Amino acid sequence: MNIYDIAREANVSIATVSRVLNDSAKVRDITRQKVEAVLKKYNYIPSAIARGMVTNSLKTIGIVTIDIRNLYYANVAHSIEQSLSALEFNTILCNTGYDNEQKLKYLRMLVEKKVDSIILVGSPFKDPVLDKPIEQISKDIPIIIINGLYEHPNIYSVRCDDKKALETSVEYLVSKGRKNFLYLYDAETFSANQKLLGFKNAVSRFNVNSEIFLVKPGLEPAYSKVKELLDSGFDFDAVVTSEDLTAIGALKCLIANNIRVPEDVSVIGFNNSVLSVCCTPALSTIDSRMEELGRIAVKVLHKVLKGEKAENDTIIDAELILRETT
Amino acid sequence: MNIYDIAREANVSIATVSRVLNDSAKVRDITRQKVEAVLKKYNYIPSAIARGMVTNSLKTIGIVTIDIRNLYYANVAHSIEQSLSALEFNTILCNTGYDNEQKLKYLRMLVEKKVDSIILVGSPFKDPVLDKPIEQISKDIPIIIINGLYEHPNIYSVRCDDKKALETSVEYLVSKGRKNFLYLYDAETFSANQKLLGFKNAVSRFNVNSEIFLVKPGLEPAYSKVKELLDSGFDFDAVVTSEDLTAIGALKCLIANNIRVPEDVSVIGFNNSVLSVCCTPALSTIDSRMEELGRIAVKVLHKVLKGEKAENDTIIDAELILRETT
DNA sequence: CTGTTAGCGCATTCAG
DNA sequence: CTGAATGCGCTAACAG
């Protein structure tokens, strides 16, 4: 069933059917009703593909993440999908993992499917290997990168001020009398580097001691690292991390070793995920405002799609959430 | 740029270009190389829309969930997306929330976009209001429902044996000497009913006491409920829930009230999400094998799409994961 | 093995 | 306000 069938039954031309389907132009009321009756009778749904053939758009956006099981990505993706849906856009979800080959494969798929734009979630997408292809794509469609910085025409950055966030954390802990910091981070992306930079800035500014370690993502690696540090007699009274899960690993190790939190050691995580309220004591953390980032990304995109001028780099502030580990 | 441009530059017909693009038929090696050279020169990517116009498929599947921020949905969705991607299919993600209007809107969008199939994740999609539209859609494309039962041609169920899982939990706790059970559940869907049924079966079979309460989803409502029960002097030595987060709410309340877990009270959650290892003590829980469900769903779908006969209702067993709360 | 041709279902001129 | 005609880029017969 297509508009020809509808047109025939309604005794009008396909152009008229198309018009009422999109109410794109004036159609006499009586004609419209005639057509609508037939449309309803068959519960007719037009083909977005055929429309896309003409308009060269499926009203679909690709959203590219590392792994949607990660709460951070899930939250941003959800926010994006919802904002987009309100604008009548659909979302193609891509979980690329960390492998660049996979990322390229997905990017290609999205181009094939003629998405109206691609939203890259997370800084792992700012990578030398990907730069060329991404810039190539940006010649045809706008690209938004969340929590990555990409200075290139038609590529828009929307991010949270990670650097400042870490500075704020350290500052707060210093104000509480903490003097010996441990920083655990689990990635070496743009965003991770910003956090690290913020941490380093702050400890040097406040002139406190600090040790920094890169650990594998997850709870276990952080647990082991802290255990190792404890065993080696390393002394610290504050743990700051780049991820909630890492913080929780550290926290669990401290508790297991009868170190009181927050009396002896303070802990601050990052992201304000559900995880942070599940542990005991509940984790103080930094809210990186994932939903807000998603919303802004779509807002920027919408502007660009409408041909309006949009901010090339939007930065919002994170927020320190104090719970029981500080 | 389209296949005409490629054809012209390679001095062949568009049919030949199409053939090498899909390697659908024998093409002389020398011709193929000629074409491929031009293809590479322009880094040509064919339009899936135009192809879809002819084949009536975009090699895209709709996956419909309540909310991807929920770890359960995120895990299943991830598994589906990955399995699908390996089959060269893309995934349109839909977060419908609980509102039926929204669900219908998404369903319509997916039909418009001519998806090859729709995968419904979670039992909230087995609802009288949705039955008609879903059955209508199933006339054109296969539908898979994960953790819901839908007996209808071209609709396939893939689910975890929730009933048995709950029976196993209770049985285990009884074997540990527990006699007074509290069951907290947070939804009234098909899946939730199965769990409830399993719980009831088991407590009656083992002849132990039980109280059952419906609470709102989340950590807080469970916490409050348990607090209320404790204050009222209600006596219990085992808490079983339909969700990890609910279990954690209960657990936190017990701990806060100096009730020892698992010495005084045992707790078992459901889903084996990351949350279960974040709390202290770590939560014993039921692994509902979300990744496996996603994988099987895609396997079933793939069969159907290839025109092979597939199982209408696939059931797998959950697994009891013992950690520190039992 | 390769080329010609006819649609796929729709939006969009351009006439009337 | 409405209709006829055109083409979007590709696949799939069908010829040769």
Side-chain angles (χ1 to χ4, degrees), chain B residues 26-296:
Chain B
K26 292 269 137 285
V27 175
R28 221 185 348 161
D29 224 39
I30 203 161
T31 323
R32 144 163 289 119
Q33 282 166 22
K34 226 176 17 177
V35 175
E36 276 173 347
V38 182
L39 251 22
K40 186 157 310 152
K41 172 174 173 193
Y42 293 105
N43 211 295
Y44 183 68
I45 298 183
S47 159
I49 302 189
R51 173 182 295 143
M53 187 86 237
V54 180
T55 62
N56 204 32
S57 153
L58 280 176
K59 301 220 33 147
T60 297
I61 307 288
I63 142 164
V64 184
T65 73
I66 295 299
D67 188 333
I68 195 78
R69 290 174 298 183
N70 178 314
L71 283 162
Y72 170 76
Y73 295 120
N75 276 289
V76 180
H78 177 264
S79 163
I80 294 175
E81 194 278 325
Q82 292 288 288
S83 309
L84 243 24
S85 173
L87 264 28
E88 304 289 313
F89 278 86
N90 272 137
T91 300
I92 294 184
L93 173 69
C94 308
N95 296 289
T96 65
Y98 287 98
D99 178 40
N100 280 334
E101 280 309 313
Q102 278 296 313
K103 293 180 190 166
L104 289 172
K105 179 186 161 195
Y106 274 107
L107 253 18
R108 188 197 156 88
M109 273 180 138
L110 292 175
V111 172
E112 255 186 71
K113 302 259 163 105
K114 295 266 182 283
V115 291
D116 296 284
S117 169
I118 295 177
I119 301 181
L120 272 13
V121 183
S123 38
F125 295 102
K126 184 70 192 73
D127 183 302
V129 181
L130 304 174
D131 284 357
K132 264 279 164 37
I134 289 183
E135 287 168 16
Q136 181 63 42
I137 295 173
S138 77
K139 288 179 188 164
D140 294 319
I141 54 173
I143 291 184
I144 315 281
I145 183 161
I146 293 185
N147 272 353
L149 180 56
Y150 213 125
E151 299 181 277
H152 192 87
N154 217 21
I155 303 187
Y156 302 82
S157 298
V158 175
R159 56 201 175 107
C160 167
D161 196 336
D162 296 321
K163 181 152 69 69
K164 198 204 259 181
L166 259 290
E167 290 170 357
T168 307
S169 291
V170 173
E171 180 173 5
Y172 176 79
L173 292 174
V174 168
S175 81
K176 288 297 195 176
R178 300 304 171 180
K179 292 190 168 54
N180 299 289
F181 285 74
L182 171 61
Y183 184 64
L184 262 26
Y185 68 111
D186 73 346
E188 299 184 278
T189 59
F190 171 79
S191 176
N193 288 336
Q194 291 298 107
K195 295 177 193 170
L196 185 54
L197 193 58
F199 178 79
K200 284 179 176 168
N201 279 354
V203 293
S204 106
R205 174 147 50 94
F206 296 111
N207 198 28
V208 291
N209 301 319
S210 71
E211 285 286 342
I212 298 175
F213 296 99
L214 174 62
V215 295
K216 291 225 160 65
L219 189 149
E220 257 312 316
Y223 191 105
S224 309
K225 189 68 196 178
V226 171
K227 180 77 176 115
E228 175 193 326
L229 259 21
L230 251 24
D231 289 344
S232 75
F234 174 64
D235 195 38
F236 57 94
D237 55 16
V239 181
V240 181
T241 74
S242 66
E243 266 295 334
D244 281 345
L245 200 49
T246 302
I248 292 173
L251 174 62
K252 290 202 115 185
C253 182
L254 295 171
I255 302 286
N257 286 275
N258 296 314
I259 293 172
R260 294 170 309 161
V261 177
E263 294 82 351
D264 303 330
V265 175
S266 300
V267 182
I268 297 188
F270 202 104
N271 274 343
N272 193 27
S273 60
V274 227
L275 305 179
S276 59
V277 295
C278 287
C279 56
T280 306
L283 185 67
S284 292
T285 185
I286 289 166
D287 186 339
S288 45
R289 305 182 56 211
M290 305 166 282
E291 291 82 359
E292 182 66 7
L293 286 175
R295 241 176 281 128
I296 294 176

Side-chain angles (χ1 to χ4, degrees), chain A residues 123-194:
Chain A
S123 38
F125 296 101
K126 184 70 192 75
D127 183 302
V129 181
L130 304 174
D131 284 358
K132 265 279 163 41
I134 289 182
E135 286 167 18
Q136 181 62 39
I137 295 173
S138 77
K139 288 180 187 163
D140 293 318
I141 53 173
I143 291 183
I144 316 282
I145 183 162
I146 292 185
N147 272 353
L149 180 57
Y150 213 125
E151 298 181 279
H152 192 86
N154 217 23
I155 303 186
Y156 302 82
S157 299
V158 175
R159 55 201 177 108
C160 166
D161 196 336
D162 296 322
K163 180 151 70 70
K164 198 205 259 181
L166 259 290
E167 290 171 358
T168 307
S169 291
V170 173
E171 179 172 8
Y172 175 79
L173 292 173
V174 168
S175 81
K176 288 297 197 175
R178 301 302 173 181
K179 291 191 168 55
N180 299 290
F181 284 73
L182 171 61
Y183 183 65
L184 262 25
Y185 67 111
D186 71 348
E188 298 184 280
T189 60
F190 172 80
S191 176
N193 288 337
Q194 290 297 108

